[in-house]
Structure formats: structure tokens, C-alpha cells
Amino acid sequence: MHPAPSIILFTVLSGFGFGLISIVGLLQFLSQISAGDIVIFSVIGLFFSIIGLISSFFHLANKKNAIKSMSQWQTSWLSREAISSIFCLSIVVGNIGWVFVQNRYINEVGIILFLLSLFTIFTTSMIYAQLKTVPSWNNMLTPALFIFTALAGGSILLLDYASLVLLLIFGVLQVLFWYIADQSFIHKETSVGTALGFSKNEDIRAFDVAHTNRNYLLNEMVYKVARKHAIKIRYISFFAAFVLPMSLILMFPGNFSISILVIGIHFVGIYFSRWLFFAEAKHSVSFYYN
Amino acid sequence: MTKLPKCEDKKLGLLIDLDTCVGCHGCVVSCKEWNSSGDEKQLSDINSHQKDPVGTFLNRVHSYERENSSTNEAETFYFPRSCLHCEDAPCVTVCPTGASYKREEDGIVLVNEDDCMGCGLCAWACPYGARELDLVSGVMKKCTLCVDRIYSEELPPEDRVPVCVKSCPTGARAFGDFNDPNSDVSKKVRERGGVDLMPEMQTKPVNKYLLPRIKSKDAVSSVGSVVEEETDATGLLGWVDRALSKF
């Protein structure tokens, strides 16, 4: 699949933003955070979520109809994502205002924000996980990876040792995701044979292409550039998103300025991870072009 | 509305005979022409008369060769690919704006371009690559089964079929109601074993394909006998063969 920068930035930035909001919400529920910190970190979370959503807006080819994406929540995960994110961010804004003015907070609002932001990340991941056409996405590892990526990123600023646990879960899920995506059984049912109505093991080869130039389908869904350097990029991604953050947090526990540095490094790693998430994914339409 | 209707009345679609298709791309050209003429909704091209032209098409014809397992010879066939108007159309349910919909009265899957925001998710959800985002208008394009022809009251009755069917010079494409067991397309599907594409995707396509018949071993060996097996010839041909072999 085409790794469009607007989509990668959307999932990385809004994932981090909603991850941060969910951690703030949890700490608010548990009374483990000061009113001042709720305001500061909620504003940061809000900022990243909105930047992410704006980025996804730039992916649309016909932006004037974007508002209509709130309408089909009964069947569409993308519609649910739009509604859920707007709803969640409205409550964040309300919570920030309340806490800022009153200088105290309501614990119950914290648990609502925690659950709602997790649900928003889940809806984002289901946009991809629902697609039978992309088998490496079409399983529950995709939502698990998206949720724990967001929680790990969001926890770096606010939690010390607990963020190590979340990072560890993220690291395991990430390796598992890559491992499963590499398995040949992932495309076990579809082949050029089934794509053309024959049996799976029919010996068929394209001898000419259907058009004289590239087209939308090839640009969007038959993206092959990544495969060449995929393994190297995985190492870079894993080192930046997991190994370096773990090491730095262990070496400098509770050091806030180091944790800002860690966030920056972690972002680079997650960006590469999401780039691979798209670039390595194989869509069933590519069988027509084999 | 992106909820899928039952479509208990009619299931209109195409039956494509890969045995008959000669890969002339006539359906591609006539489809492009019909759907780019007459109103403001175009299938656009970029750089159409220059280097690297790119355009939107609702129908593409691929070319394949397959090995005949009994003769080990390659056999070529052509494969027109377009929207299958699936009963469980995943492109419809993923649509966030309600632009994609399936008609209850005849099962045709359409895009309401006034609602489409060009996110491209329906194209990702389609296993068959049947949808292409128009790069000029920014909205999703797909086969309409020529809904503006088949119900037209202005066109003469014999022209009220999809233009790809009308223009096919070999009669490889047929249009009809797959819900009616007595329709021509339903009969052909039964008689010749019409198949679904990627049944594992559980989309339940309405369009069916008739696969190319495998050439018999005799068809291949009779060609081969002229070239290789002349030494077995008897009678007059055998005498000529023996005589010529002396030189």
C-alpha cells in the first residue's frame, strides 16, 4: 500500500495525542496528577491529536465533503473514528476549561477520557484491520499494536517505570506484527488463480499489462519500493522506537528533559514503523499484476 | 446509506466469457467514451496527449497465459476486470460519508459524487481494483452498469444494455438479471459453470465469469504431428517422406 505521509503523520501524531490524553485521564481518575499538570498535558495531547486530524484532512481528494464523514457510524469505522475523535476532544477541551477555572478536577471525567481516547485509537486501527483485502492488517494485532503504541508514547512524559512496561508490551507486539506479516500463510487463500476464478494453484502468469502507464491502482495499492530495504528500516524503527527509549529511561529515570528527548527519538521510530505498516502491506489487487 | 440492502427483486450484472474474449479493449474504449460524454461528470485524463498519460477507467483488460497441465503448453487468454456489483460489497460499508451505496431495486453499486470526499478507503476495501479515484474531480469512479442506458427511455430498446456489452465485437459480454433463474445469463452460468472471482473474500459477486476451456491434448498433438511426427506417415506421404529423407 502507498505510504502517504499525510496518513502516516495522522496515525502517528493523533495516536500519540490520544495516548497522552488517555494516560492523563487515567491519572486523573486515580488522583495521581496535579490540576496544573492535567491542563498542561491535556493541551499537549489536544495539540498532537488536532495536528494529526488536520494531516488526515490533507489526504482527502474532495475536502469540501469531509463533514459528511460523521454520518455513516452504523457501518463505517472511518465514520466512527471521526465522530469518536471529535467527541473525545470536545470533552478534553471541557475538562481543560473546568480544571483551569476551578483548579480542581472530577475523577470520573478522567475515566471517561481514558476509555473514550482508547476507543478512538481503536477505531483508527479498525479502519485498517477491517480490510480483508490486506491480510497482514486483517487481524487483532493491528488494534493491539496501535493502542499500545499510543499508550507507550503517551506514558513517556508522565510515568517512569510504568512507561517501561508499556514500551515493553509495544515492543513485543511490534515484533509479533512483523513476524506474522512475514508468514506465507497470511495470503493462504488468495492467488492469481483465485483472482481470475481458477483454483488456487493454477499456473498463471501475466504476459502483458492492461495499460500503457502507471495508474491509480498501481500507485495506491501495488507499492513495491519498500521491500528492498524493509529489514534495515525495521531495525532502525525498532532501535529508535523501543531500544533507545528503554535504555534512556532506565539510565535517567524521572528526568523530564531526557523524556522529551526520548519522545523525539520514539517518534522517529514510530514514523518508520508506520511507513513499513503501509509500504509492506500487500493488497489483493496486486495479484492481477503478478 | 451504507447499510447493504437485500436486493430480493433483481440482481443485475455481467456475464463475461473468457473463452470468447479476444482482448481487443473495445469495451474499455466504449466505456471510457460513454462515461466521459454528455454531462459534466468525466473520467478524466492527465497529460492525455503528452508523455506519461494517466487516466481513470472503469474497465481494464488484462492478458494472461496459463499452463495446460495435460499438454504442458502455454495457453493465453484475456481478462476484462470491472466492478462485480457484489452482494456483500465491502466498498459500500466502509464509506464514511454515505456516498457509496447499493441499490435495493437492482443491486447496482453506485457512488453519489456529491457526497464523496475522496478518502479512497472504498478502493482499498475492494479486492478487485474496481474503483479508481479521479485525479481531477477528486471523487471515486466506478462501473455504473450504465444505469443511464439500461433504464433510458430515449434510447431504442436494443441499446438499453451497458455500452461494454453493446460494443463487444465477439459477444463475450452478456447483461442480465442473475436473480431470475430463466434469464439468459443464469442459464449460461448453470450450463457452463460460471465462477466467482476471489470467493474467499466473501463478497458474493453478482458478475460471473466463464473460464476459458482447456484445449484438448488432440488439438495440440495434431499441430505437433505436422512438425515432428512425419516419420510415422504411411502410404503416399510415407513414400514422399522416405524419398526426401535420402537427400
Side-chain angles (χ1 to χ4, degrees):
Chain A
M1 304 296 285
H2 173 57
S6 56
I7 291 290
I8 298 174
L9 281 174
F10 156 60
T11 65
V12 172
L13 297 179
S14 79
F16 171 76
F18 283 108
L20 188 57
I21 289 164
S22 68
I23 298 289
V24 172
L26 187 64
L27 294 175
Q28 178 173 340
F29 178 63
L30 300 171
S31 304
Q32 296 293 314
I33 188 168
S34 69
D37 279 357
I38 288 179
V39 173
I40 292 167
F41 290 105
S42 295
V43 167
I44 298 172
L46 195 66
F47 174 78
F48 279 97
S49 307
I50 290 174
I51 296 286
L53 291 173
I54 290 172
S55 170
S56 75
F57 180 75
F58 281 102
H59 184 69
L60 305 178
N62 193 25
K63 297 175 180 60
K64 70 178 190 310
N65 283 338
I67 190 71
K68 293 180 180 172
S69 68
M70 315 273 284
S71 66
Q72 302 301 314
W73 53 272
Q74 291 184 71
T75 67
S76 167
W77 280 105
L78 181 48
S79 190
R80 288 168 197 161
E81 201 269 344
I83 295 169
S84 175
S85 57
I86 300 290
F87 188 52
C88 182
L89 292 181
S90 312
I91 297 180
V92 172
V93 171
N95 191 47
I96 291 170
W98 171 269
V99 176
F100 187 73
V101 172
Q102 304 276 335
N103 202 28
R104 61 192 169 84
Y105 53 82
I106 309 164
N107 295 53
E108 287 74 13
V109 175
I111 193 74
I112 292 169
L113 281 175
F114 173 68
L115 294 174
L116 206 53
S117 51
L118 282 188
F119 179 72
T120 306
I121 303 160
F122 176 70
T123 56
T124 306
S125 67
M126 284 307 289
I127 295 170
Y128 310 103
Q130 69 179 332
L131 298 173
K132 280 189 190 143
T133 51
V134 186
S136 59
W137 295 351
N138 188 221
N139 56 64
M140 278 299 126
L141 262 180
T142 302
L145 181 61
F146 271 57
I147 286 173
F148 278 95
T149 303
L151 284 177
S155 69
I156 290 172
L157 287 177
L158 282 168
L159 306 172
D160 301 333
Y161 292 109
S163 71
L164 291 176
V165 177
L166 290 168
L167 269 172
L168 196 63
I169 297 172
F170 151 72
V172 170
L173 286 170
Q174 177 68 82
V175 172
L176 202 60
F177 182 87
W178 284 332
Y179 175 77
I180 297 289
D182 282 347
Q183 300 305 305
S184 52
F185 67 76
I186 212 86
H187 271 288
K188 64 176 184 288
E189 288 173 313
T190 305
S191 69
V192 61
T194 67
L196 300 174
F198 294 89
S199 66
K200 198 206 162 211
N201 296 317
E202 197 76 24
D203 189 4
I204 299 175
R205 191 180 76 89
F207 73 86
D208 196 6
V209 283
H211 27 84
T212 50
N213 215 327
R214 287 191 70 79
N215 67 359
Y216 173 75
L217 295 176
L218 292 175
N219 291 337
E220 192 72 10
M221 285 172 278
V222 194
Y223 190 85
K224 284 181 177 164
V225 181
R227 316 253 159 94
K228 192 174 161 194
H229 295 301
I231 298 297
K232 280 180 212 160
I233 297 171
R234 279 185 188 181
Y235 280 120
I236 295 169
S237 166
F238 195 68
F239 192 71
F242 177 73
V243 178
L244 263 181
M246 284 290 268
S247 319
L248 284 169
I249 294 170
L250 277 171
M251 280 190 280
F252 308 98
N255 186 328
F256 188 73
S257 44
I258 289 292
S259 64
I260 290 174
L261 175 70
V262 168
I263 290 279
I265 298 168
H266 179 73
F267 263 7
V268 174
I270 297 300
Y271 189 91
F272 279 118
S273 161
R274 285 291 148 80
W275 190 86
L276 288 168
F277 178 79
F278 290 99
E280 288 193 289
K282 186 177 178 182
H283 191 282
S284 60
V285 77
S286 61
F287 285 107
Y288 289 106
Y289 291 93
N290 83 326
Chain B
M1 200 54 219
T2 53
K3 267 188 180 168
L4 290 167
K6 278 259 190 291
C7 302
E8 283 163 339
D9 193 19
K10 279 199 284 185
K11 288 174 193 165
L12 297 183
L14 299 172
L15 177 66
I16 297 171
D17 187 348
L18 302 183
D19 220 15
T20 310
C21 176
V22 292
C24 72
H25 291 248
C27 53
V28 180
V29 175
S30 58
C31 169
K32 178 92 174 179
E33 190 277 333
W34 178 260
N35 288 295
S36 289
S37 308
D39 63 20
E40 77 281 8
K41 285 169 184 164
Q42 301 270 320
L43 295 178
S44 69
D45 293 311
I46 296 172
N47 299 335
S48 58
H49 295 76
Q50 300 160 45
K51 202 169 169 254
D52 297 331
V54 183
T56 312
F57 287 80
L58 310 183
N59 184 16
R60 307 250 186 199
V61 178
H62 293 250
S63 314
Y64 299 98
E65 61 181 13
R66 87 193 255 249
E67 183 166 320
N68 182 329
S69 54
S70 65
T71 62
N72 295 326
E73 299 282 338
E75 294 176 6
T76 60
F77 63 96
Y78 301 94
F79 178 85
R81 178 174 57 77
S82 61
C83 173
L84 309 173
H85 298 280
C86 304
E87 284 182 53
D88 282 342
C91 56
V92 171
T93 52
V94 300
C95 176
T97 65
S100 275
Y101 63 105
K102 185 172 174 69
R103 286 160 44 119
E104 187 168 8
E105 61 267 39
D106 52 19
I108 299 178
V109 177
L110 291 174
V111 174
N112 177 358
E113 295 184 6
D114 295 335
D115 285 346
C116 177
M117 67 173 187
C119 68
L121 188 58
C122 56
W124 288 14
C126 172
Y128 312 103
R131 288 172 169 244
E132 298 188 16
L133 188 75
D134 192 280
L135 298 171
V136 174
S137 62
V139 294
M140 195 56 72
K141 301 283 183 174
K142 68 174 294 303
C143 162
T144 64
L145 212 60
C146 283
V147 72
D148 51 348
R149 288 177 68 93
I150 60 178
Y151 294 112
S152 169
E153 286 173 6
E154 281 76 36
L155 289 174
E158 65 271 23
D159 283 348
R160 293 176 198 168
V161 291
V163 72
C164 57
V165 174
K166 183 75 187 171
S167 65
C168 179
T170 62
R173 305 173 74 93
F175 163 71
D177 179 10
F178 287 83
N179 210 28
D180 173 7
N182 296 317
S183 68
D184 284 350
V185 287
S186 294
K187 281 183 199 160
K188 266 193 185 166
V189 165
R190 276 200 305 277
E191 285 163 14
R192 291 197 39 206
V195 297
D196 288 344
L197 306 182
M198 291 191 210
E200 69 276 11
M201 292 287 172
Q202 295 160 328
T203 52
K204 291 196 225 155
V206 170
N207 283 16
K208 300 279 185 272
Y209 283 75
L210 301 173
L211 298 182
R213 281 175 272 211
I214 299 171
K215 287 172 188 136
S216 77
K217 208 166 181 174
D218 292 345
V220 179
S221 60
S222 66
V223 174
S225 68
V226 177
V227 188
E228 292 163 5
E229 297 170 24
E230 63 263 89
T231 48
D232 295 328
T234 53
L236 182 63
L237 275 176
W239 178 81
V240 172
D241 177 41
R242 284 192 298 279
L244 288 174
S245 299
K246 287 177 184 170
F247 299 99

